[in-house]
């Protein structure tokens, strides 16, 4: 076999395998920053979607430094039990994140739910555009998974990076 052809073929396979990662990394400016929560659904093992809660409000932030945070709040409790009740109708966590292929691993360092501290939550990037992000992920070994949709907030027309204050 031609060594030059083999080398090119192997390099092509490596490039193809890293296409998702390249898309996220090249779109890093798209991934980085704050995202507003639009939808959070738990999908049962048999495919039935269930909203995480009613009155959903939240944000996820990815920083270039490799830090991230998530905050999710729910509206007042109604008589219907929802998955968010397990977390007191609010969930906050922060830590580090890593991107590999189409996976983002959230390494939880602090959380409103003590059981999440030290865990690695793996999220698959289902879609990423300049103003929309959809993440999916397994929930333990139950066969359930989650789908969370985020959107980029519009910046104030008066916002300017020069307005930011540098802290020492």
């Amino acid at each position: 076999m031609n060594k030059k052809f083999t080398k090119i073929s192997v390099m092509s396979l490596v490039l193809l395998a890293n296409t998702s990662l390249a898309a996220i990394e090249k779109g890093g400016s798209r991934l980085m920053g704050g995202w507003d929560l639009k939808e959070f659904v738990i999908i049962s093992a048999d495919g039935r979607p269930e909203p995480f809660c009613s009155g959903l409000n939240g944000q996820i932030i990815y920083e270039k430094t490799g830090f991230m945070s998530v905050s999710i709040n729910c509206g007042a409790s109604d008589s219907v039990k929802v998955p968010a009740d397990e977390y007191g109708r609010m969930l906050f966590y922060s830590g580090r994140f890593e991107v590999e292929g189409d996976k983002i691993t959230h390494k939880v360092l602090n959380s409103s739910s003590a059981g999440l501290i030290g865990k690695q939550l793996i999220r698959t990037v289902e879609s990423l555009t300049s103003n929309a992000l959809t993440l999916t992920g397994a929930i333990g070994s139950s066969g359930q998974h989650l789908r969370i949709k985020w959107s980029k907030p519009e910046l104030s027309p008066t916002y300017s990076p020069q307005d930011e204050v540098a802290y020492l």
Side-chain angles (χ1 to χ4, degrees):
M1 183 182 277
N2 183 329
K3 288 184 180 182
K4 186 175 184 181
F5 177 75
T6 303
K7 192 177 214 180
I8 291 170
S9 296
V10 170
M11 289 174 67
S12 297
L13 288 173
V14 169
L15 288 173
L16 286 173
N18 289 325
T19 299
S20 297
L21 175 59
I24 293 172
E25 286 180 345
K26 284 182 181 173
S29 60
R30 287 188 285 167
L31 179 64
M32 298 304 139
W35 297 85
D36 291 336
L37 184 58
K38 295 301 175 195
E39 178 184 278
F40 188 161
V41 178
I42 305 292
I43 301 168
S44 67
D46 63 2
R48 287 177 295 118
E50 178 182 8
F52 184 68
C53 66
S54 58
L56 194 61
N57 186 31
Q59 189 174 57
I60 190 168
I61 301 170
Y62 290 108
E63 288 295 322
K64 292 178 189 175
T65 59
F67 284 94
M68 58 80 56
S69 67
V70 174
S71 59
I72 299 173
N73 287 293
C74 301
S77 180
D78 50 21
S79 59
V80 179
K81 187 167 175 50
V82 294
D85 291 336
E86 180 180 340
Y87 299 101
R89 302 186 64 79
M90 70 175 115
L91 177 61
F92 302 97
Y93 69 85
S94 63
R96 308 270 309 164
F97 76 95
E98 291 180 357
V99 176
E100 186 174 330
D102 63 349
K103 307 283 189 237
I104 302 175
T105 301
H106 297 170
K107 297 179 175 188
V108 181
L109 300 175
N110 193 10
S111 176
S112 59
S113 174
L116 290 179
I117 297 172
K119 300 269 182 176
Q120 293 190 17
L121 308 176
I122 300 171
R123 304 294 182 239
T124 300
V125 178
E126 187 174 276
S127 66
L128 172 62
T129 66
S130 60
N131 62 359
L133 170 65
T134 301
L135 300 175
T136 60
I139 301 174
S141 59
S142 65
Q144 292 181 316
H145 63 279
L146 54 84
R147 182 180 65 238
I148 309 174
K149 294 184 179 184
W150 307 90
S151 69
K152 281 275 188 174
E154 289 189 31
L155 294 177
S156 164
T158 60
Y159 169 81
S160 169
Q162 290 80 17
D163 295 338
E164 294 182 8
V165 177
Y167 294 96
L168 299 177

